[in-house]
Amino acid sequence: KAGVTQTPRYLIKTRGQQVTLSCSPISGHRSVSWYQQTPGQGLQFLFEYFSETQRNKGNFPGRFSGRQFSNSRSEMNVSTLELGDSALYLCASSSRQGDYGYTFGSGTRLTVV
Amino acid sequence: AQSVTQLDSQVPVFEEAPVELRCNYSSSVSVYLFWYVQYPNQGLQLLLKYLSGSTLVKGINGFEAEFNKSQTSFHLRKPSVHISDTAEYFCAVNARSGSARQLTFGSGTQLTVLP
């Protein structure tokens, strides 16, 4: 059974640009969550999608957005990148909105220069 | 609102010694509790989870944790650690609150196993 796949693995962008990250959940999982991990702030919740609907959103500015497709694949987008957006972005999937634990992908390492 | 406190940011321990990583949580509703491990440049791997039932939960790689509702704790233990256990460990809580739910993580504990 394939795990959670995140692409790309590494990304370097310039301030002001925008970026799109992709996440393919485990087959059959309908819940996808996104987290930002930085040394200073730790793991912070971005948003969760379930059956194409955003169910919950963390405390991030509107530059951070996401969506989920009918096949449960999810994308997150960050517009007008800032240096502080440099982080490891982790995607996690679950069969039932995380009640029984999330399976995480290996993450996308975003560096903003 | 829920929160998780991991009491030790760094825990050094010698190989084959026992270890305990401490975690306390706060939530006004019933919770599900998790421990995850993260190796360098990787995502998070689920070690174990408490959903209900027995308060002693066994996980992968010889780890176990005990849920203590009165003390709102979920400490992680291993009787004998190996060099390969060196990693960062995260405690997390998933609390039900209507239809909104999210996994809230502690700040992490870096476990370093010394030869």
Side-chain angles (χ1 to χ4, degrees), chain A residues 77-98:
Chain A
N77 184 276
V78 188
S79 62
T80 320
L81 284 165
E82 301 177 359
L83 296 179
D85 297 332
S86 294
L88 180 66
Y89 289 88
L90 292 165
C91 166
S93 76
S94 173
S95 57
R96 274 189 56 180
Q97 293 187 267

Side-chain angles (χ1 to χ4, degrees), chain A residues 2-65:
Chain A
V4 178
T5 303
Q6 290 189 246
T7 57
R9 192 80 171 81
Y10 299 93
L11 207 48
I12 299 176
K13 290 287 188 178
T14 305
R15 258 186 313 177
Q17 286 187 312
Q18 76 164 16
V19 67
T20 298
L21 312 182
S22 179
C23 172
S24 294
I26 288 174
S27 178
H29 283 191
R30 294 163 64 190
S31 169
V32 173
S33 298
W34 289 89
Y35 293 81
Q36 181 197 64
Q37 185 177 27
T38 59
Q41 299 297 318
L43 282 153
Q44 292 189 287
F45 172 75
L46 280 156
F47 26 67
E48 179 180 19
Y49 287 87
F50 186 80
S51 295
E52 302 179 66
T53 302
Q54 187 180 87
R55 289 299 185 97
N56 202 1
K57 190 176 191 303
N59 189 24
F60 277 81
R63 299 185 297 107
F64 291 81
S65 63

